Amino acid sequence: MTRSETSRRGRTRASGAAWAITPLVVVGTLVLLPVAAVVVAGLGTEALETILAPSTWRIVAYTAAQAVASTVLSIALALPAAYALYRLALPARRTLLAVVTVPFILPTVVVGLAFREILPFAGTTAAIIVAHVFFNVGLVVRIVGGLWGHLDERLIDVSRTLGISPIRTFTRVTLPLLRPAILGAAALVFLFTFTSFGVVLVLGDPSLPTIEVEIYTATAQRLDLPAAAGLALLQFVFVALAVAWSMRLQERASVRQHLGDDERRAPVASAWDRACAAWTWALAAAIAIPLLALVARSLRVGDGWGLAWYREAFSPADATTRAASAAESLALSLQYAAVATLLATALGALACAGILAAGRRGAWIDAALALPLGVSSVTIGFGLLLVSLRGPIDMRGSWILVPLGQALVALPVVIRVVLPLLRSVDPRMRQVAATLGASPLRAWWATEGGLALRGIAVAAGLAAAVALGEFGATAFLVRLDAPTVPVQIVRLLGRPGEANLGVAAVLSVLLLVLTLVIVGAAERIRPRRSGGW
Amino acid sequence: MSDHTGLRVRDLAIDYEGRAILRDVNIDVHPDEIVALLGPSGSGKSSLLRCIAGVQQPSIGVIAWDGEDITTTPAHRRRIGLVFQDPLLFPHRDVGANIGFGLAAEGRPQRVAELLELVGLAGFERRDVATLSGGEAQRVALARALAPRPRLLLLDEPFGALDRDLRDRLAVDVRTLLRAQGTPALHVTHDREEAALIADRVVQLAPPTAAP
């Protein structure tokens, strides 16, 4: 598909547009369908009553407050690590960077359970914030560090020789120059934490729901679809406002600056450097601890250690304790994830082709397709549920809804991986290959084709990881007798008894290992300097 | 125990990644002179200036000002200005704010206007630094370094990026400017003519090992 669209670059606009329209209509319809269903349902009178109720606005305020706190803390805790990892020649730098950034791809319910194990204050707002920081600190490190590593250090030297102390140099030079990256990272973290679901459900205070949790309880427990639709609409509006505001802020903060081509990392010299390096080690340890605690939990039986919960998890289902055995829900999760990966990769590749063919207008489509990222998995799940109940075709309880929801959640990730890769290919490269005597097919393969296929393979890996751990959309769409692993974990946590907790820990460990293996494999084949996620 | 000997560098050595890039450097700059330091590129001139400015540490040796050892004094307390080959203006601030960067709020606008006048850019206060030409940007960088009245100005091939004509004119301008401000300077260059135009005295920097 990349070949057909790029070879048309430079031809008439009309043919480019035609190439762009078909895939974009297909993908756009699927992405916008659940959102449209939510908007339509949210504009009903009952839904509007919910929107206007004071209790709703308390929920909105709480959701925003915990998101702001999570965002500010994530940024503040990430900055010293971003400095140490991107400006200093740290020993074991690559390992540290991997540990710090790994939580971002972990399943939310797994992390929720891990923190339940180690936090004495689980079930409070503080616990949610700690878990949110855990998830997002690596994202901030990568975004801010990416810019920090390329800042011209001589600007710092200039400031120092003008008589400005190191601290004031940081606030007057470094921070303003980093502002675009910090604002960009903050906008993303705010979106993720504002729409966070799995973590809040597992770790939060049950009397203090966020918008997402309230949408879920309204749907699944009170069966009050209009109220859920009103909340989902409200959430959608707030997310859109937040995105628009952050884009404006970033535009104003952007400065044209000369950036070095290579990151030059200086040896650890000052006391500040040593403090930042130590901070990075502490952060990596803080990230490893809950995951190790989770593994320990799965092995702790009574007062001793053993594999009892693993045997229990894989024993045939017992109707009184669990709906499905670990083996069953694992097999089911893998099947759903496989279909979702295929869907997400195909849709993502189509979308990328359309965006590139659309040329400059592609930027808007790009932004529109990133919508599910902001719309939240809960809205996608809820929207698809509404479509299945009220749409022209009765799809109630259809299995395809689950992988479709997961695919829509994973779609922005696919696009974010594939698109920068395709954009990075200079069309002249193919011409050079052709002048060297390569056949057109070979020339394409040597340049865009190879890169595109590798990019798609990486994207497929990440999409599979997202689909496997997906909880927000899946929770709305999965059939009660056929839970995926994350749904099963949350269900087990809602039941008393050590066995249920032990089996939940076993499932979490399995999911954790599976996710790490898949993402590790994907990162191995990722082309270097590819940009994107 | 202060005298008026100005800058004294004694037995300075700089290593980078285990390799000696400078050995046994001895340089004096008296408080009333402009010294040009000549040396081929790659002879460690920039590192020497960075050590004198305090943004890099020498491996061994002593840097003193008026008899006071400042080898370990942090850069921001040395009152030694540094101008690089690139202007390195702060991209998030306008021309006026760049020049006023190292100044206290009191009297800042007057001092900024005075310096702009001196470098021939009167009225440029609100200009975006991205709109300046190469020569203008380097003049602003010079004005910024002189604004806090440093006791010594270090110039690291400040005209290296400019064309010959502009370079000669600027060299004369800079000399006039330094004289007007009464600021001593150590000017690094690989260009003999430029050195002669700007300096009272020319010093040759020897590479650490004799060239074959």
Side-chain angles (χ1 to χ4, degrees):
Chain A
M1 94 284 156
T2 44
R3 179 194 186 189
S4 44
E5 62 73 18
T6 34
S7 64
R8 271 165 174 78
R9 201 179 280 163
R11 282 208 206 158
T12 64
R13 195 171 273 189
S15 87
W19 267 95
I21 282 168
T22 326
L24 290 176
V25 166
V26 175
V27 180
T29 311
L30 279 172
V31 169
L32 292 178
L33 202 63
V35 179
V38 165
V39 171
V40 170
L43 291 174
T45 29
E46 281 174 84
L48 287 176
E49 269 168 35
T50 307
I51 291 176
L52 296 173
S55 62
T56 302
W57 287 90
R58 275 198 296 276
I59 293 172
V60 171
Y62 175 70
T63 309
Q66 62 80 24
V68 168
S70 303
T71 306
V72 170
L73 260 179
S74 298
I75 301 270
L77 301 185
L79 284 183
Y83 171 76
L85 287 168
Y86 285 86
R87 300 267 355 171
L88 297 178
L90 283 193
R93 173 182 179 268
R94 289 178 68 93
T95 313
L96 279 171
L97 191 61
V99 171
V100 170
T101 48
V102 86
F104 188 61
I105 48 105
L106 296 182
T108 52
V109 295
V110 169
V111 173
L113 174 54
F115 274 105
R116 250 172 74 141
E117 275 310 299
I118 57 160
L119 289 184
F121 50 87
T124 64
T125 309
I128 302 175
I129 293 172
V130 168
H132 281 165
V133 170
F134 170 91
F135 265 110
N136 293 300
V137 90
L139 182 73
V140 180
V141 165
R142 257 166 105 146
I143 295 176
V144 176
L147 180 57
W148 209 333
H150 293 277
L151 283 192
D152 195 329
E153 81 244 281
R154 294 175 304 169
L155 286 170
I156 310 298
D157 297 341
V158 167
S159 170
R160 299 285 311 283
T161 58
L162 289 171
I164 311 297
S165 71
I167 293 173
R168 295 194 62 216
T169 295
F170 179 73
T171 57
R172 291 179 65 188
V173 180
T174 314
L175 270 187
L177 293 179
L178 290 178
R179 200 154 61 192
I182 292 176
L183 286 176
L188 272 180
V189 176
F190 180 81
L191 272 187
F192 290 143
T193 52
F194 188 77
T195 63
S196 163
F197 177 53
V199 164
V200 182
L201 198 66
V202 175
L203 272 181
D205 181 343
S207 65
L208 280 172
T210 60
I211 301 179
E212 307 295 309
V213 171
E214 190 63 15
I215 294 172
Y216 181 69
T217 25
T219 311
Q221 287 170 21
R222 300 204 306 269
L223 303 176
D224 185 355
L225 290 187
L231 285 160
L233 178 64
L234 207 56
Q235 191 249 31
F236 178 61
V237 170
F238 274 104
V239 165
L241 284 178
V243 169
W245 183 59
S246 85
M247 278 170 85
R248 255 199 61 182
L249 265 185
Q250 283 179 66
E251 212 162 283
R252 267 193 298 174
S254 75
V255 280
R256 211 170 354 147
Q257 56 180 310
H258 170 261
L259 296 175
D261 295 331
D262 283 314
E263 294 169 5
R264 278 185 49 196
R265 287 185 278 273
V268 177
S270 65
W272 279 107
D273 289 356
R274 278 189 292 279
C276 288
W279 175 253
T280 310
W281 280 98
L283 205 59
I287 283 165
I289 285 169
L291 302 180
L292 295 176
L294 184 68
V295 176
R297 173 68 255 188
S298 75
L299 294 169
R300 201 165 66 232
V301 185
D303 291 334
W305 303 86
L307 293 171
W309 307 136
Y310 284 82
R311 280 193 295 274
E312 169 87 10
F314 283 96
S315 66
D318 172 352
T320 56
T321 54
R322 299 187 312 278
S325 76
E328 280 163 5
S329 58
L330 205 57
L332 200 63
S333 267
L334 286 172
Q335 286 166 29
Y336 281 143
V339 178
T341 304
L342 272 177
L343 269 173
T345 315
L347 291 175
L350 266 179
C352 288
I355 291 168
L356 285 176
R360 267 185 304 164
R361 281 160 299 170
W364 285 99
I365 302 157
D366 191 5
L369 289 178
L371 218 57
L373 197 71
V375 163
S376 93
S377 49
V378 163
T379 303
I380 290 177
F382 180 60
L384 279 179
L385 180 70
L386 289 179
V387 172
S388 76
L389 295 178
R390 300 175 179 176
I393 316 163
D394 187 1
M395 301 208 314
R396 219 169 296 201
S398 165
W399 68 272
I400 190 72
L401 290 172
V402 175
L404 184 60
Q406 294 174 346
L408 290 181
V409 173
L411 187 60
V413 176
V414 174
I415 296 176
R416 284 290 162 282
V417 171
V418 176
L419 198 59
L421 268 179
L422 292 181
R423 285 208 172 121
S424 72
V425 177
D426 189 333
R428 283 170 303 183
M429 264 168 63
R430 184 151 35 85
Q431 290 154 20
V432 169
T435 62
L436 293 174
S439 69
L441 188 66
R442 229 190 113 82
W444 176 76
W445 174 251
T447 54
E448 289 148 305
L451 209 55
L453 280 187
R454 270 170 81 182
I456 286 172
V458 175
L462 295 182
V466 170
L468 267 180
E470 211 291 321
F471 176 67
T474 310
F476 284 83
L477 303 169
V478 83
R479 279 169 41 188
L480 283 175
D481 58 342
T484 62
V485 173
V487 172
Q488 181 74 340
I489 291 170
V490 171
R491 221 181 264 179
L492 287 169
L493 287 180
R495 296 174 188 170
E498 204 200 351
N500 284 321
L501 184 57
V503 173
V506 168
L507 285 174
S508 296
V509 170
L510 293 177
L511 197 56
L512 180 69
V513 171
L514 209 54
T515 308
L516 290 179
V517 167
I518 293 173
V519 173
E523 287 298 326
R524 253 168 189 279
I525 52 173
R526 184 197 281 267
R528 290 185 65 211
R529 292 171 154 274
S530 61
W533 291 8
Chain B
M1 54 160 283
S2 89
D3 47 35
H4 293 284
T5 50
L7 179 75
R8 270 213 168 137
V9 177
R10 287 292 173 269
D11 305 321
L12 196 86
I14 302 169
D15 297 288
Y16 182 71
E17 287 175 355
R19 196 170 55 90
I21 48 176
L22 276 181
R23 277 279 173 270
D24 304 324
V25 178
N26 292 284
I27 290 177
D28 290 354
V29 180
H30 296 290
D32 56 354
E33 68 174 351
I34 300 170
V35 176
L37 186 62
L38 269 174
S41 44
S43 57
K45 300 176 305 233
S46 296
S47 295
L48 174 62
L49 289 200
R50 291 171 59 81
C51 284
I52 298 171
V55 292
Q56 185 180 335
Q57 277 300 308
S59 308
I60 43 169
V62 176
I63 300 164
W65 182 265
D66 282 356
E68 183 197 348
D69 184 348
I70 55 166
T71 316
T72 55
T73 307
H76 62 282
R77 299 217 190 90
R78 288 195 188 189
R79 292 184 50 219
I80 296 179
L82 179 56
V83 177
F84 290 89
Q85 178 167 353
D86 303 317
L88 294 168
L89 301 179
F90 298 117
H92 57 295
R93 290 171 174 252
D94 62 19
V95 167
N98 260 279
I99 295 175
F101 196 83
L103 297 176
E106 196 191 336
R108 190 188 289 152
Q110 292 84 339
R111 177 78 177 145
V112 169
E114 180 191 329
L115 278 154
L116 277 174
E117 179 87 44
L118 276 170
V119 296
L121 297 173
F124 269 49
E125 277 92 343
R126 305 306 309 273
R127 278 278 289 273
D128 179 354
V129 294
T131 65
L132 299 176
S133 73
E136 287 168 347
Q138 198 54 281
R139 285 164 188 267
V140 172
L142 200 63
R144 176 179 64 182
L146 285 171
R149 301 182 201 280
R151 48 191 183 183
L152 172 70
L153 188 66
L154 306 170
L155 299 148
D156 187 0
E157 306 225 19
F159 318 128
L162 308 174
D163 61 48
R164 177 90 243 172
D165 211 35
L166 190 56
R167 202 193 292 189
D168 289 350
R169 259 189 299 140
L170 262 178
V172 176
D173 287 354
V174 167
R175 183 176 168 84
T176 319
L177 192 62
L178 289 171
R179 280 275 166 258
Q181 297 285 305
T183 309
L186 181 59
H187 177 109
V188 153
T189 177
H190 62 270
D191 183 340
R192 238 161 237 292
E193 277 179 59
E194 185 186 303
L197 272 175
I198 206 166
D200 305 311
R201 186 157 65 85
V202 177
V203 177
Q204 179 81 39
L205 188 67
T209 50

